[in-house]
Structure formats: C-alpha cells, structure tokens
Amino acid sequence: MDIRKLLRTDLMIMDLKAQTKDEVIDEMVHNLFEKGVINDEEAYKKDIIKREEEGSTGMGDGIAIPHAHNAAVNEPAVMFAKSEAGVDYDSLDGQPAHLFFMIAAPEGGDNTHLQALAALSQVLMNPDVTTALKSADTPEKVQAVFADAVAKKEAENKAQEEAEKQADNAPSGDRPYIVAVTACPNGIAHTYMAEENLKKAAEKLGVDIKVETNGSEGVKHLLSDSEIARAKGVVIAADKKVAMARFNGKHLISKPVTSAIKNPEELIQTVLDGKAPVYAAAEGEDDSSSSASSNDTVWGSIYKQLMNGISHMLPFVIGGGILMAVSFIVEQYMGGAKSPAFIFLNNAGNMAFAFMVPVLAGYIAEAIGDQPALMPGFVGGFMATVYSGSFGGAYTANVMSDAKSAAGFLGGIAAGFIAGHMMNGLKKLCKGLPKSVEGMKPMLIYPILGLLGIALVMYFIVNPIFSTINVWITSFLNHLGTGNAVLLSLILAGMMSIDMGGPFNKAAYVFASGAFANDPHSTAAAGLMAAVMVGGMVPPFATALATVLFPKKFTEQERRAGISNWVLGFSFITEGAIPFATADPGHVIPSCIVGSAVSGALVGLWHVSVPAPHGGFWVTPLASNPLFYILAVVIGSVVAGIILGLWRKPVDEK
C-alpha cells in the first residue's frame, strides 16, 4: 500500500493545540469527524483508547501512531499532526512526542491499518525523515518528505529483492552465506535484538546472512528452500518451537536466543569452521516440529520445552495471581470475606490461577510431542492440581491414589514431560499400522491411548510421589528461620541478574512462582515472590542510576536507554538492562548480581512478602511491609549502580 495516498494534506494539523495525551486523541479524532473520514466520533475514539490501553502507540524518538479498525470509518486515511512543544504520550523511551500519525481503517477491510502501520514504521525508522518532518511547516512539505522517503524505500526494497533473486540463482561468491532463525516466546525484544546482533556480527566477519524472525508478530523474512540449500550452515537462536525439518542435512547450531544477543560472533564462527553438527530430521518430522536439534544438549532441549510451557502459563499466573492478591486487600479493608467485591475478585483470580499448571503441562507436552500431546498434557496437569473436585454436582473427581494433597507445580511439570514423551513413544508404536487406518491416529488412537496412559501414570505414580515432595517443600518453607530465609532470598534474587531473562533468571522465578502457586496464602511463598521481584528490578534501576551519576562512563545511546529503564525497573522488567549487559557483561552483570543479592537478603531479613507473582512497584500496596519493600530495591539499586559507575572507564565519544 502506498502511504502517500492515505496521508491527505487536507487532514493535517501543523500546529496541534493539545497538551496531554487525551487532548491529542480528542483533537485528532474530532478533525477526522469534521472532515467526514469517520461518522461516529465516540465509537472511533473508544477503539483508539482501547488500543492505547493494550500498549502505548508512542514509538519513541518523538513519534506516536494511534490507530483503530472501526465500523465508523467511511474511508481509510492517515492524519498527520505536529506539536512544537511536544506532548507526554507514554512513549516507550519516555520522551515527549512531536509527530502524530492517526490511522483510520474501515472494519471488514483488508487490514489497511496494519499495512499502513508497517509502511509508516519502515519510513520513520530513518532519522533523516523524522528530522525533516519536524522542520516541515506546510502540509505540502510533509507530503514531499514522505514522497521522497517512500520512493527511496521502495527502491531499496526492490534492489534487495533483486539481489536475493540473483543470489538464489548464482553460484556462491567469495563471501560465505549462512541463514539464521531467532525466536522468543515472551515478545519481540529478544527476537529482534538477536537478529540485529547476528547481522552486525556477520558484517564484521565478512559473511552474508539472512535472519528469519519468529516473534509475537509471527514469522517474518521466511527462509526459502533455495536460501537454505545454498547456506553453509544454520544458526538457531530460539527459546520456542521453530520449523526444523527443512534444515535436514545442514550444519546447524541451536542455542537459546540470549546466546545470539551475547555471543553472535561465536555462533557464526562455529558454523563457518564446520564445527556445528549436521542436523538429521527425525523420520516423519514436519515443519511444525520442535526447535530442538541434534546438537542441542539435553538441558538445552529440556529448557526450550519448559519455556514453551512457561510462556503460555504466565498470563494466567500474572492475571489470576494479582486479582487474588487484590481481593485479599478488599477482604481486609472493605467488608471482609462476605464482600461482593472480594468474592468477585477472588473467584476471577482463582479461575485463572486454576489453569496455571494444566496450561504449563499441556504446552510442555506439546513442545515435545506436538499437537497430539496437548490434551494428555492438559489432563495430566489438571490431575496434578485437583485432589477431589465437584463439577456442577454431577460427579466428584478423585484423581490420586494414596495421596493426601495435590502434586502441585512440580507434579504438573512432570506430567508435561511424561505426556510429551509418552506421545512420541505412541507414535513410534503406531508407525507400522496400515495406511487405511492412518486417519484414525489423530482422531481416535492418540487421544484415547494418550489419555489412558497419562491418567494411569498420574493416578498411581506421579501424584503419590510428588504430593509427598510438595508437602515437604511447603513445610520447609513455612518453617524457615530468619537466617535460612535471608540466604534463600539472597540466592534467588541474585539469580535474577545472572542472565536477565535466561535459564538462571527463569529457574529462580519458576521456583518462587511454583511455591506461590502451591500455597498462595503462605507468607513464606509470598516472601520468595518478593525476593525475585526485587532481584529483577535492580538491574534496570541500577543501570539507569549509573548513567545519571556517572554520565561520562556511558555513551549517549546508553544514557538514553537509561531513561527508559526507570519505567522498566518500576514494572519488574529485567530485560531493560540487557543492552548494557550485552555491551559490557564483565562490569554490568557482576554489579547487578551484587545489588540484587543485597536486595534479596534485605527482603528476607525484614520478612517482606508480596502475594502477587508480578507487577514490581505497581503491587507495592500488597506488600506486607511496603516501606521496606521499596527500601530493599533502592538500597540494592544504589549499591549496584555505584559499583558499576566506579568500575567502568570513561568512554570516548569523539
């Protein structure tokens, strides 16, 4: 789609009067209504606001792109507006927005707003374009800037496509060529950071590379068969499933996505040196198979399968856990256990929380045995969390033999791995069946035998064993002395900074959230949640503080990143510190580990607990001692920030 046809000069506002985000939306929506682009001002505005609630459309660098797909839109259009003073638009970088593009697309169309958004993003990634737009003082000049930018971008895209076509048909040149896939289950940050670092490393090593990304937006830059065929090797940097059978016979190295962020040159060099093992696709494996490869370590495969479950589980944990925690406050301060507000919030939270272990187990199983393993995994996870439950009064489910309590979180993890491998074994047993019954496998054989198998294993083996283990762990946590509580909190909080989203970070979070899931009312479990929370908030806060206290020790780009880390730290988003850790791991990571450990130790010493699995400072009212909760983070962040600032050498930006 040509963005110039949508960017109408008659809609442009060259001197926006609005001073707040809400006023920007009001002024721009009203202008669209007056110009006849929309026929229902309130309906369209409602969808604009709904989109902002899902996540701010303030892209950063002074740009915001509010948009909506709505039946009130008469015709697709993009309205440009400019504010000289700038408006606080909750942008990702925390800076004021000056340039606004409101995209209006009719409902039932062909995703016009998404296409326009993609086109806008491509052009606006060029800093020369944004600079020119800020200085443009007439609608005609805005059109001219975009006409020039779009033409150049189209020429670049066409040249790139031609180069790729010629490369497909031409013999290999002097530069080696490899392909890569980056994928992360938790969003686009890691996926695209890994992509960018692989490209930079390839350029440095004199290597041509094409990177397929598999993030929250789906698969982009899909690798063709010809590209894979002529590649010297393959780099997989993924924490989720990617299509693997297409790489059969290629030298392939498979690592977590953080490996490509931290050590991209090492991954590429391994392929160039021929040290990457040759990938052999399993018989019958298709392109929906797991990303685990022949050169994955056992732990690497287990980690990816576990992350597949955790990534699907987190929304249930966060949403359900926080609503349950809020309900406890309502119970205490607003009417007790019979309060309608408490009953509603507690029931809603419990409903979501009840799905936590079944979803975890189901998607672990799916990562191992693909879709046929999903149902047995869900049922196994459900059996790990239910001792006896009445369903509509029709019957009672007793799902444990010789067990006095639920197998809980650990039992659910076991259920997922058992169900996945059990399904793979069942597939092998059924491989020799006649082709005439091939269609019966997914519709009849796999569901029945898979359910029967996991039910037998859970009822007679897993639940009795893990319920005992679970009772022991709960008892251990509830009887921790102050010294042991301090040590455990210190270790968990420190682990949150070791790899900032990697295996150590996830292991600490899973342990704490698992204890919390087994007994949400336990003060000890809530104390572990407080420890991992403060440990995860320290790295972004520490790097932000260091850039303020020691500005000469950081580049201009790092100082800008430090500004956004104040917001990320407040929200318990540890990944905000990754760019700093990637650029200078030797100084950043040890400093953050020390600061996080200090925060964790203080939480244990002061008996701080937070009955919520996420939220950072947003859930401070839920803490048993809010002041000490905040103080623990502040002290740890100051310790880490000062160590980092004193340790680093001044940078030369000349």
Side-chain angles (χ1 to χ4, degrees):
M1 169 168 292
D2 188 345
I3 191 66
R4 292 167 293 186
K5 295 181 179 179
L6 296 177
L7 193 65
R8 292 167 37 182
T9 55
D10 62 311
L11 298 177
M12 295 184 186
I13 303 176
M14 301 305 296
D15 184 19
L16 200 64
K17 305 299 182 185
Q19 296 181 351
T20 67
K21 181 175 181 177
D22 289 340
E23 290 175 357
V24 168
I25 293 173
D26 288 342
E27 187 173 345
M28 295 185 75
V29 169
H30 184 66
N31 188 51
L32 287 175
F33 178 72
E34 284 191 332
K35 297 297 173 60
V37 174
I38 59 175
N39 54 51
D40 189 330
E41 191 170 348
E42 288 303 316
Y44 180 72
K45 178 183 172 182
K46 183 178 179 180
D47 272 4
I48 288 285
I49 294 174
K50 181 180 178 182
R51 172 61 187 85
E52 294 297 326
E53 290 173 349
E54 294 172 357
S56 176
T57 58
M59 295 175 58
D61 293 327
I63 300 167
I65 312 180
H67 55 280
H69 202 241
N70 189 277
V73 179
N74 296 321
E75 56 181 325
V78 176
M79 180 174 60
F80 171 79
K82 184 169 70 169
S83 168
E84 295 293 342
V87 177
D88 182 358
Y89 204 82
D90 300 325
S91 297
L92 299 180
D93 60 359
Q95 298 301 304
H98 294 269
L99 307 177
F100 301 88
F101 299 85
M102 182 169 282
I103 302 175
E107 195 170 58
D110 55 354
N111 288 329
T112 300
H113 71 308
L114 295 179
Q115 295 175 35
L117 186 58
L120 272 175
S121 300
Q122 277 193 316
V123 171
L124 293 174
M125 290 298 289
N126 185 344
D128 293 337
V129 174
T130 55
T131 300
L133 287 174
K134 288 176 182 178
S135 62
D137 55 5
T138 66
E140 290 73 24
K141 288 182 180 179
V142 172
Q143 278 279 27
V145 169
F146 263 97
D148 183 55
V150 170
K152 288 181 178 178
K153 190 63 181 175
E154 288 175 346
E156 288 176 8
N157 291 342
K158 187 175 181 180
Q160 185 176 353
E161 291 174 4
E162 289 298 325
E164 289 178 356
K165 288 179 181 178
Q166 291 176 8
D168 286 342
N169 299 323
S172 179
D174 294 334
R175 288 166 62 99
Y177 176 74
I178 66 172
V179 294
V181 180
T182 63
C184 175
N186 297 324
I188 65 173
H190 286 68
T191 300
Y192 294 103
M193 288 170 66
E195 176 198 21
E196 184 66 19
N197 283 10
L198 282 171
K199 287 182 175 179
K200 289 180 179 178
E203 183 62 30
K204 182 177 179 180
L205 294 171
V207 176
D208 290 331
I209 189 171
K210 179 173 180 179
V211 184
E212 174 183 302
T213 57
N214 189 343
S216 61
E217 295 179 311
V219 175
K220 302 291 184 183
H221 315 300
L222 182 67
L223 298 173
S224 67
D225 291 341
S226 60
E227 288 167 339
I228 296 171
R230 71 184 181 88
K232 183 178 179 64
V234 184
V235 173
I236 302 292
D239 290 339
K240 63 181 286 189
K241 291 173 59 177
V242 298
M244 292 296 294
R246 53 193 169 149
F247 302 123
N248 187 41
K250 305 296 295 186
H251 287 278
L252 183 147
I253 182 169
S254 179
K255 296 289 182 181
V257 68
T258 51
S259 295
I261 296 173
K262 297 178 180 178
N263 304 304
E265 291 184 30
E266 180 182 324
L267 298 181
I268 294 173
Q269 196 63 54
T270 300
V271 172
L272 295 178
D273 293 343
K275 295 180 180 179
V278 175
Y279 178 72
E283 185 177 348
E285 181 181 354
D286 59 27
D287 280 341
S288 64
S289 299
S290 171
S291 63
S293 67
S294 59
N295 65 304
D296 264 348
T297 62
V298 173
W299 164 245
S301 298
I302 292 173
Y303 174 73
K304 290 179 181 178
Q305 292 151 6
L306 182 62
M307 285 302 102
N308 194 58
I310 289 174
S311 66
H312 286 87
M313 173 197 77
L314 281 178
F316 296 87
V317 178
I318 296 169
I322 290 180
L323 280 190
M324 286 171 61
V326 171
S327 76
F328 299 149
I329 293 181
V330 172
E331 178 187 21
Q332 186 172 356
Y333 298 108
M334 298 174 60
K338 294 184 179 180
S339 163
F342 165 75
I343 294 171
F344 169 76
L345 290 170
N346 192 262
N347 285 344
N350 270 294
M351 286 293 181
F353 217 60
F355 283 95
M356 169 183 163
V357 175
V359 168
L360 170 70
Y363 281 98
I364 289 174
E366 190 254 1
I368 300 169
D370 292 320
Q371 193 167 345
L374 188 61
M375 182 274 288
F378 264 104
V379 174
F382 183 68
M383 292 179 72
T385 56
V386 176
Y387 173 58
S388 61
S390 175
F391 299 84
Y395 63 93
T396 298
N398 189 342
V399 296
M400 304 189 186
S401 172
D402 299 324
K404 296 181 180 180
S405 72
F409 194 80
L410 294 177
I413 292 175
F417 283 103
I418 291 169
H421 289 295
M422 181 184 294
M423 187 54 62
N424 282 343
L426 188 58
K427 290 177 183 178
K428 291 179 180 178
L429 287 176
C430 296
K431 191 178 294 183
L433 292 177
K435 289 188 177 181
S436 58
V437 298
E438 192 72 26
M440 295 176 60
K441 291 182 184 179
M443 299 303 296
L444 193 64
I445 297 175
Y446 293 159
I448 293 176
L449 295 184
L451 176 58
L452 179 61
I454 194 64
L456 289 170
V457 171
M458 293 299 296
Y459 189 88
F460 290 106
I461 301 174
V462 172
N463 283 342
I465 293 174
F466 279 91
S467 66
T468 303
I469 296 173
N470 192 45
V471 168
W472 180 85
I473 291 175
T474 302
S475 176
F476 167 74
L477 292 176
N478 288 333
H479 291 86
L480 275 177
T482 298
N484 289 332
V486 169
L487 179 61
L488 183 56
S489 296
L490 181 152
I491 293 172
L492 290 175
M495 288 174 66
M496 295 296 290
S497 287
I498 292 176
D499 48 11
M500 303 179 190
F504 284 99
N505 176 286
K506 290 294 189 294
Y509 184 80
V510 166
F511 180 82
S513 59
F516 182 71
N518 288 336
D519 189 0
H521 300 278
S522 168
T523 301
L528 299 185
M529 288 310 311
V532 298
M533 203 101 75
V534 299
M537 286 192 282
V538 164
F541 274 140
T543 50
L545 181 64
T547 60
V548 173
L549 297 180
F550 305 91
K552 295 182 180 180
K553 301 289 185 76
F554 298 90
T555 65
E556 183 181 353
Q557 184 178 2
E558 287 174 326
R559 293 195 294 271
R560 287 200 301 266
I563 295 172
S564 62
N565 273 4
W566 292 110
V567 178
L568 297 177
F570 196 97
S571 304
F572 180 42
I573 301 176
T574 314
E575 286 82 357
I578 285 179
F580 293 88
T582 302
D584 186 11
H587 293 120
V588 174
I589 293 177
S591 303
C592 290
I593 291 174
V594 172
S596 292
V598 168
S599 289
L602 291 175
V603 160
L605 180 65
W606 293 333
H607 302 288
V608 176
S609 60
V610 179
H614 209 282
F617 279 151
W618 297 109
V619 294
T620 300
L622 309 180
S624 60
N625 194 322
L627 178 60
F628 282 165
Y629 175 55
I630 296 171
L631 197 58
V633 177
V634 171
I635 292 174
S637 300
V638 170
V639 168
I642 291 177
I643 292 175
L644 175 58
L646 293 174
W647 200 355
R648 285 188 62 153
K649 296 179 180 179
V651 297
D652 184 4
E653 296 191 78
K654 292 182 179 180

